[in-house]
Amino acid sequence: MASVWAKSFAHLPVLSVFFFLLLCLPPGGGQKKKENLLSEKVDQMMEWSSRRSVVRMNGDKFRRFVKAPPRNYSVIVMFTALQPQRQCSVCRQANEEYQVLANSWRYSSAFSNKLFFTVVDYDEGADVFQQLNMNSAPTFMHFPAKGKPKRADTFDLQRIGFASEQLAKWIADRTDVQIRVFRPPNYSGTIALALLVSLVGGLLYLRRNNLEFIYNKTGWAMAALCVVFAMTSGQMWNHIRGPPYAHKNPQNGQVSYIHGSSQAQFVAESHIILLLNAAITMGMVLLNEAATSKGDVGKRRIICLVGLGLVVFFFSFLLSIFRSKYHGYPYSFLIK
């Protein structure tokens, strides 16, 4: 028993030194280290943002500054494939809109360290794409300051499009940060309008002694049809929503020109619908010509068959596109 007590007293100096060191250490050392790390990350992000509105990131930067804690700022990430060999035209179009939005935020009076814009290119961060199980580009995601991204933190590109104004509205919903989009001056519309007015004015001046062509019903009918084709094919929707021209799957390289949903469309899809409507209209015009003209019967029969063929074939094609977008539509004709 005495030997046990002796051993205990022998360790008293060591224990005393240990408790003395504990008392001398500053409290909250781990918290201080965490704050210093956060400050370094914020300072680094601010430095990068001062050079470029959109910060380019590889896998290591993404994991350190976007995924890893601590973080008190939100990050918008565009996952894309901008290298020429990827042949992703929609990626370049989306990147232009993304740059406009990021510049609007960077040079606004409300700019702060609470929101940063970044981009991860597939050729610079393929491991990030694999980590997030991402198989398409471009994709926009919001990584909140606290917690993990939710479903709503992935921008619905296929339904809404990638216009800067739509992205700004989505960011406001996710972060409460309001961004007013400022676009650089674009005089192409003004120049085109001036050229059109000059062309029409010059034509009227050259034909000032004979303006009968103004009363040409066929000319006005063609102009009216052009407007109808443009509106019924969804050109106004494209102008408002800014959808991509087409979609290329980065995994297999397959290009889709028809959107699979009834809530969205591609620009190429509008062009296809416009051509189909024009072909059907041409067929109806030929049928009307065959029925009302008084020429040779054989010639009228040929015109009738050509017109009927145009209507039947292209209407079947148009109906098949309708069925592919409105799943469950029961009717088809020739083409399924």
Side-chain angles (χ1 to χ4, degrees):
M1 186 69 179
S3 61
V4 173
W5 282 100
K7 291 180 180 179
S8 301
F9 280 110
H11 289 293
L12 279 178
V14 178
L15 294 175
S16 300
V17 173
F18 177 73
F19 285 114
F20 177 76
L21 290 175
L22 286 179
L23 292 174
C24 292
L25 287 175
Q31 181 66 24
K32 188 68 175 178
K33 183 179 179 181
K34 183 178 179 180
E35 293 177 357
N36 291 337
L37 178 59
L38 177 60
S39 178
E40 291 177 4
K41 292 173 68 173
V42 172
D43 291 343
Q44 183 65 74
M45 292 293 288
M46 289 294 291
E47 180 183 349
W48 286 334
S49 296
S50 65
R51 300 175 186 174
R52 287 185 177 181
S53 300
V54 178
V55 180
R56 298 187 67 89
M57 289 194 165
N58 54 23
D60 294 334
K61 289 181 179 179
F62 175 81
R63 283 183 285 272
R64 180 184 176 188
F65 292 93
V66 178
K67 292 285 290 183
R71 182 163 51 83
N72 63 351
Y73 50 85
S74 296
V75 183
I76 306 298
V77 184
M78 180 179 74
F79 299 93
T80 186
L82 294 173
Q83 296 300 320
Q85 65 268 22
R86 300 298 174 185
Q87 298 181 356
C88 182
S89 59
V90 65
C91 293
R92 292 190 291 271
Q93 297 171 18
N95 183 61
E96 292 176 0
E97 292 293 314
Y98 192 58
Q99 293 287 343
V100 169
L101 179 62
N103 288 330
S104 299
W105 167 244
R106 173 63 184 84
Y107 298 106
S108 69
S109 59
F111 175 73
S112 67
N113 57 8
K114 298 300 181 183
L115 178 66
F116 296 100
F117 288 85
T118 65
V119 60
V120 176
D121 194 284
Y122 180 79
D123 293 283
E124 299 174 2
D127 53 336
V128 178
F129 279 73
Q130 296 174 0
Q131 179 183 352
L132 299 177
N133 294 323
M134 194 171 297
N135 55 10
S136 63
T139 299
F140 298 93
M141 286 188 65
H142 164 240
F143 291 84
K146 296 181 180 179
K148 296 182 179 180
K150 301 178 181 178
R151 183 176 182 180
D153 287 311
T154 299
F155 183 67
D156 193 349
L157 177 69
Q158 304 296 338
R159 184 175 63 87
I160 304 176
F162 49 72
S164 299
E165 291 77 9
Q166 298 296 332
L167 286 168
K169 183 178 178 181
W170 168 67
I171 292 173
D173 292 337
R174 305 310 304 164
T175 66
D176 293 328
V177 174
Q178 304 292 332
I179 303 177
R180 183 180 178 184
V181 177
F182 293 95
R183 293 184 177 275
N186 186 358
Y187 301 105
S188 59
T190 304
I191 295 174
L193 180 60
L195 291 175
L196 178 61
V197 171
S198 301
L199 179 63
V200 173
L203 181 62
L204 292 175
Y205 178 77
L206 294 175
R207 299 290 298 274
R208 61 186 181 277
N209 297 324
N210 183 12
L211 299 178
E212 293 182 0
F213 70 94
I214 296 179
Y215 303 99
N216 189 309
K217 294 181 180 180
T218 303
W220 286 109
M222 294 296 293
L225 281 176
C226 291
V227 174
V228 171
F229 291 152
M231 294 299 105
T232 55
S233 63
Q235 296 295 335
M236 186 58 67
W237 192 92
N238 294 340
H239 181 73
I240 296 173
R241 296 297 184 89
Y245 186 81
H247 175 70
K248 183 177 182 181
N249 191 320
Q251 299 296 323
N252 52 25
Q254 184 178 1
V255 180
S256 300
Y257 298 102
I258 306 296
H259 198 284
S261 170
S262 61
Q263 303 297 321
Q265 68 178 17
F266 298 131
V267 175
E269 181 179 338
S270 299
H271 296 165
I272 294 172
I273 299 300
L274 187 149
L275 293 176
L276 291 177
N277 287 334
I280 295 171
T281 303
M282 177 60 69
M284 295 300 296
V285 170
L286 292 177
L287 286 174
N288 180 73
E289 183 68 19
T292 58
S293 64
K294 298 180 180 180
D296 181 65
V297 176
K299 183 178 180 181
R300 290 168 58 188
R301 184 179 292 112
I302 294 175
I303 294 175
C304 179
L305 291 175
V306 172
L308 184 62
L310 288 174
V311 172
V312 170
F313 178 77
F314 289 107
F315 181 77
S316 301
F317 196 7
L318 186 65
L319 189 60
S320 69
I321 294 177
F322 185 84
R323 291 182 73 247
S324 68
K325 295 179 69 67
Y326 289 84
H327 304 285
Y329 186 76
Y331 305 108
S332 63
F333 186 62
L334 295 184
I335 302 175
K336 294 184 178 181

